[in-house]
Amino acid sequence: MADFTPSKARFLIWGAGPLLVAMLASSCSGNDPGVNAGQADQSSATSIAIDQAVDGATVLQAALDQLAAGYHFSSTATVNGTAAVTAAGDRVGDSTRMNVSSNGAAVDYVVTPTATWVNKDGTWSEVTDDTAPADPLGALRAPTSVTVAPSVAGAPMVLTASYPASALSLPGDAAVDVEFTIDGSALSSLSYSSTSDGGAAEVHTDITALVDTSPVTVPKI
């Protein structure tokens, strides 16, 4: 597996997962490619088209706005169908605490708008990282297009939003599609996939309400 850095760890959660998993894929091999982001079942005879009056972009923005105070996340990046990196933690206000596991090792992170701390082997240290965004979900607020998938009445809404590769810190000019599941008015998950010479990769993140609402505190070094 590729070496793990704080910026790669945050990309897993904050909308640029393809960058991380592409790096992982370039150094992993074994299983056949073929991992695809989960798609809503559009073949059911009972599926109906969402009313055209529904503005997917507005629904997405409202769902992201609801997360401003904080949320809990659980993310998994797979490469060629095998889990390569997992991360779980809390976003509280403008800061994040999380645990990231990769290749049998687990590391704790504390991320604020101005600095990042990492805990390896029980010792906290501040690390230099200029990629920490003030708003982790900021890149997801400006899609070039949003489409609404057909849905059964009462079922969660599935949106597919397209972003320039650069918005997600990816090389090239190809658009990147991110699939969002909106349950009621709340964002419950997002996923996206990537391919590289190493195979197929996917990142899936579940979003739930905060259980631990205590502020993120800077470690004592």
Side-chain angles (χ1 to χ4, degrees), residues 130-154:
D130 294 333
T131 63
D135 179 6
L137 293 175
L140 302 180
R141 291 181 174 275
T144 56
S145 65
V146 180
T147 59
V148 182
S151 175
V152 175

Side-chain angles (χ1 to χ4, degrees), residues 32 41 60 68 84 86 107 114-115 118 137 152-154 156 161 211 220-221:
D32 292 333
D41 181 8
L60 178 58
T86 60
V107 180
T114 59
V118 59
L137 293 175
V152 175
V211 175
K220 294 181 180 180
I221 300 178

Side-chain angles (χ1 to χ4, degrees), residues 21-116:
V21 293
M23 290 178 175
L24 291 169
S26 68
S27 60
C28 299
S29 61
N31 297 329
D32 292 333
V35 180
N36 297 307
Q39 298 292 330
D41 181 8
Q42 299 182 16
S43 62
S44 172
T46 61
S47 294
I48 58 173
I50 295 292
D51 190 287
Q52 293 301 311
V54 173
D55 185 333
T58 298
V59 171
L60 178 58
Q61 293 299 321
L64 292 173
D65 287 343
Q66 289 186 34
L67 301 177
Y71 53 90
H72 178 78
F73 57 84
S74 178
S75 300
T76 300
T78 61
V79 178
N80 293 327
T82 300
V85 182
T86 60
D90 299 315
R91 174 75 178 172
V92 185
D94 61 359
S95 299
T96 300
R97 52 179 172 249
M98 63 180 173
N99 177 270
V100 180
S101 298
S102 177
N103 201 27
V107 180
D108 292 317
Y109 291 93
V110 167
V111 183
T112 72
T114 59
T116 298

